[in-house]
Amino acid sequence: MLVLGFLFVRSPDLVPAIYVIAFLQAAVGTVDNPGRAAYLPAIVGTDRLLAANSVSQTSRIIFNLLGTAAAGILAATADTLAAAFVLDSATFLASFLLISRIRTDGRPQGEETPSRVWAEVKAGFSVMASSRPLRAILISLSVTMLGLGAVNVLFMVVSGTLVAVLAARLRSSTLVWRGLVGVGLFVGAISSAHAVWHVMILLVFVGLSVGPVQAGANTLSQTLVADRMRGRVGGAITTLISAANVVSMGLAGLAAA
């Protein structure tokens, strides 16, 4: 429904509406994304969780790229952008229909009555503060996003396959720390690049390193947290990582200027 709102932006005077719609989309995402992460263990079980996270991440990256390409083609060939927004809206509807057919309700046993939003947020942060592994995940991902927020990584498709191979040989925590080391080294190497093609090659390796970090961190946060707290912890992690991303882009703009 929100995507269809872009259809009404037909003049420069209405451009501010784009920011409002984008903000509302992001707000919905803060509920949707942690919900999906909390839902996954109830469907696949803990023994296949890392593999499922790698498949989920790979499909998200692939279809983001395909969606961007499709939007470009529609924008270049159609008389208006309406077709692109209608198609985008239809994909959300298709996602809803697919999810609605899942038979596992994903509800943990003994779930208490939901409390107010701020109480839920505090509950998520409280669980994270009491767990050393969760604190490590949060700090690692936030610091990583501070370094990557200004880098547009377009070469992460292969990383999903890499994670699937590594998942059979390494623990989730090992995937996270080795991936973080790789991200740090390759991002640092960009500062000494002297040609565009150098940067492109380094971004390939950045993407390959980010994949294991995300899949491993998602798996750890899902297995270390009780069912009833999983969505709240996921929401807390998403909030802090998004904040780090925004700060990163702001600082990158100032540094570049």
Side-chain angles (χ1 to χ4, degrees):
M1 292 176 62
L2 288 171
V3 170
L4 293 177
F6 290 117
L7 295 174
F8 299 98
V9 182
R10 298 178 178 273
S11 68
D13 295 338
L14 296 177
V15 167
I18 294 178
Y19 293 95
V20 175
I21 296 172
F23 174 82
L24 293 175
Q25 278 190 285
V28 172
T30 61
V31 177
D32 176 73
N33 294 332
R36 289 172 182 263
Y39 203 63
L40 193 59
I43 299 174
V44 302
T46 56
D47 57 330
R48 292 179 293 176
L49 193 53
L50 183 57
N53 277 316
S54 67
V55 171
S56 177
Q57 177 183 331
T58 303
S59 63
R60 176 180 59 82
I61 295 169
I62 290 174
F63 283 99
N64 274 342
L65 294 174
L66 293 178
T68 302
I73 293 172
L74 286 173
T77 58
D79 295 332
T80 68
L81 296 178
F85 293 126
V86 171
L87 180 60
D88 191 15
S89 177
T91 62
F92 285 102
L93 176 60
S95 179
F96 159 74
L97 293 175
L98 289 170
I99 293 174
S100 68
R101 295 178 60 83
I102 297 175
R103 296 301 174 223
T104 302
D105 62 15
R107 295 181 180 180
Q109 297 294 326
E111 174 72 355
E112 71 274 15
T113 303
S115 55
R116 294 183 177 181
V117 173
W118 181 240
E120 300 285 351
V121 172
K122 290 195 296 183
F125 281 111
S126 177
V127 172
M128 293 170 57
S130 62
S131 171
R132 182 177 178 181
L134 288 176
R135 291 198 305 270
I137 291 172
L138 176 62
I139 294 172
S140 300
L141 293 181
S142 297
V143 171
T144 301
M145 189 55 67
L146 281 171
L148 289 178
V151 180
N152 187 13
V153 183
L154 300 178
F155 303 97
M156 294 177 63
V157 177
V158 182
S159 68
T161 304
L162 177 63
V163 171
V165 174
L166 295 177
R169 296 170 172 81
L170 301 174
R171 295 186 304 172
S172 298
S173 57
T174 303
L175 286 177
V176 172
W177 78 258
R178 289 188 179 182
L180 288 172
V181 170
V183 170
L185 291 175
F186 293 123
V187 170
I190 292 176
S191 63
S192 59
H194 299 292
V196 173
W197 67 271
H198 294 167
V199 177
M200 303 296 279
I201 292 175
L202 288 170
L203 286 178
V204 172
F205 287 100
V206 170
L208 292 176
S209 300
V210 168
V213 173
Q214 293 179 333
N218 286 339
T219 303
L220 283 172
S221 62
Q222 289 164 340
T223 54
L224 291 172
V225 181
D227 287 351
R228 64 184 182 86
M229 298 299 298
R230 194 174 288 132
R232 298 163 196 169
V233 170
I237 292 176
T238 299
T239 298
L240 291 180
I241 292 177
S242 298
N245 192 21
V246 171
V247 172
S248 170
M249 290 186 287
L251 293 176
L254 291 174

